[in-house]
């Protein structure tokens, strides 16, 4: 009879240890999922640019037009590949859009920066013309 009680106590103890281990592992997995494995948005950066053509007109209507090749970097901070759809990057002069480039659908590998070159035509067709020091007028 004493052996049965001893075995029962040992079983209870091992069951309690197993339950404590399962709770501990669940807490570690939850913590790891919420901190390390959190999905982060990739960061788009213009890394460098080279200019092919650069035309400036300084008549009564000043304007510019240029063709540039822009090296774009997409930094993936996730612990896994990040797939992204077609996107558009807009280039601004002040508050006015002067050009845009299409970023093709692709995939950035985990913890890496994907680099590629896109051609962009920048033009001042929508820019503001400064008539005086304080007056601005849309073209």
């Amino acid at each position: 009879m004493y052996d049965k009680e001893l075995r029962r106590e040992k079983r209870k103890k091992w069951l309690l240890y197993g339950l404590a281990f399962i709770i501990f592992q669940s807490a570690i997995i939850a913590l790891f999922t919420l901190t390390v494995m959190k999905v982060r948005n990739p960061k788009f950066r213009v890394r460098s640019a080279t200019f092919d053509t650069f035309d400036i007109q300084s008549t009564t209507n000043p304007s510019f037009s240029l063709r540039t090749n822009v090296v774009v970097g997409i930094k993936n901070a996730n612990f896994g590949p990040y797939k992204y759809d077609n996107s558009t990057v807009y280039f601004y002069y002040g508050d006015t859009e002067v050009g845009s480039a299409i970023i093709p659908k692709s995939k950035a590998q985990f913890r890496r920066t994907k680099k590629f070159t896109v051609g962009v035509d920048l033009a001042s067709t929508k820019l503001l013309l400064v008539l005086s020091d304080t007056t601005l007028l849309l073209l």
Side-chain angles (χ1 to χ4, degrees):
M1 192 153 142
Y2 178 72
D3 283 341
K4 283 186 178 181
E5 277 188 38
L6 190 59
R7 285 184 194 161
R8 178 186 270 169
E9 290 296 320
K10 282 185 179 182
R11 280 190 212 129
K12 282 183 181 179
K13 186 168 74 170
W14 280 107
L15 183 64
L16 185 63
Y17 288 153
L19 188 61
F21 179 75
I22 289 172
I23 291 172
F24 177 73
Q25 287 293 67
S26 298
I28 294 296
I29 290 170
L31 181 68
F32 186 73
T33 302
L34 293 174
T35 56
V36 176
M37 297 301 289
K38 185 168 82 172
V39 177
R40 297 172 183 95
N41 288 330
K43 295 179 181 170
F44 288 80
R45 301 264 195 258
V46 174
R47 299 179 60 87
S48 66
T50 58
F51 299 102
D52 290 340
T53 60
F54 193 29
D55 299 324
I56 299 174
Q57 295 178 0
S58 59
T59 59
T60 58
N61 232 356
S63 66
F64 67 87
S65 174
L66 60 106
R67 172 79 177 158
T68 181
N69 293 317
V70 178
V71 177
V72 177
I74 300 175
K75 182 178 181 182
N76 181 12
N78 294 303
F79 285 95
Y82 192 92
K83 294 178 183 177
Y84 54 91
D85 292 327
N86 290 333
S87 302
T88 305
V89 175
Y90 297 99
F91 293 87
Y92 288 88
Y93 180 81
D95 291 335
T96 306
E97 178 187 334
V98 292
S100 63
I102 295 175
I103 307 296
K105 176 181 177 179
S106 187
K107 176 173 69 171
Q109 294 299 327
F110 87 103
R111 309 285 295 170
R112 298 271 188 262
T113 300
K114 182 178 177 89
K115 300 170 199 150
F116 54 91
T117 304
V118 293
V120 182
D121 290 317
L122 302 175
S124 63
T125 55
K126 299 177 190 173
L127 280 180
L128 299 173
L129 175 62
V130 179
L131 294 178
S132 68
D133 292 67
T134 58
T135 309
L136 297 174
L137 178 67
L138 276 176
L139 291 177

